[in-house]
Amino acid sequence: MKALGLQKDKSWPSNITQDDQRPIAYYTIREKLRDFFRKNNQTKFVLTGHSLGGALAVLFAAVLAFHNETFILERLEAIYTFGQPRVGDAEFGDFMKENFRNYGIGYYRFVYSHDIVPRLPYDNSTLLFKHFGTCLYYNSIYEGKIVSEEPYRNYFSLRSLISKRVDALWELVRSFLLPYLYGTEYRESLLLQTLRFYGLLFPGMPAHGVQDYINAICLGDPTLLINAHT
């Protein structure tokens, strides 16, 4: 949040005096975008990220909206996140949905199988975290569907106890099969295969790796994102 401009006094000023030795990411990137779009007025841009990077992509847009940065937001085409954790409560979600609607910004959240990170922090009456926006969910055989929220929305779920471990075992077996089924470019490293073994004890953690998200996009239904757009 400090990288996005949050101050020690909990304020979030629209402008600050930058320290050249320790520039703050939000203000630095915002100025670069302003300069670029003044010279390239018709250009659009996309925000994306995996895991924490996905959270920062959404929050960057949130701070732009909080500061009424219309000049930049009108050029934001869409936000695509992969394995993104929850970043706010229901009120925050309503704020973002309204701004996305007003500026015509698409927001698409990709979730693979039992990935632990999109299911954290907890969505319950204590923590109050909520996802929002369109979820493109891929199961362990890379079948995709458009849902409002991924199945088993919290990681520690009794209902998912068996399916998580069955999928973890399949993911381990699949790691050896992929290069034979789809080509050598899908061969997984020894490190990743070791993590797959680890996933038998802690399922959902290896599923957070970027490899399964790449495979889901490459091997999944190519029309899924088109359908999500429409």
Side-chain angles (χ1 to χ4, degrees), residues 112-114 138-143 162-178 181-182 188 193 196-197 199-200 203 206-207 212 215 219:
Y112 167 72
S113 191
H114 291 286
Y138 290 86
N139 62 20
S140 62
I141 56 174
Y142 303 131
E143 289 178 339
I162 296 175
S163 62
K164 280 192 294 193
R165 281 161 176 78
V166 170
D167 280 350
L169 178 59
W170 160 242
E171 287 165 353
L172 174 60
V173 173
R174 187 191 61 196
S175 69
F176 295 96
L177 297 178
L178 281 173
L181 294 174
Y182 300 108
E188 296 187 349
Q193 290 174 340
R196 301 280 192 203
F197 275 105
L200 298 176
D212 280 316
N215 289 351
L219 301 176

Side-chain angles (χ1 to χ4, degrees), residues 9 36 42 49-50 76 83 92 94 99 103 111 114 122 126-127 139 145 150 155 161 169 189 191 211 227:
D9 63 0
F36 182 83
Q42 301 302 314
H50 169 258
L76 177 54
F92 173 81
D94 290 340
N99 277 278
Y103 290 104
V111 176
H114 291 286
Y122 254 42
T126 301
L127 296 180
N139 62 20
K145 60 181 177 179
E150 61 277 4
Y155 179 70
L161 192 63
L169 178 59
S189 68
L191 175 59
Q211 187 62 51
N227 294 335

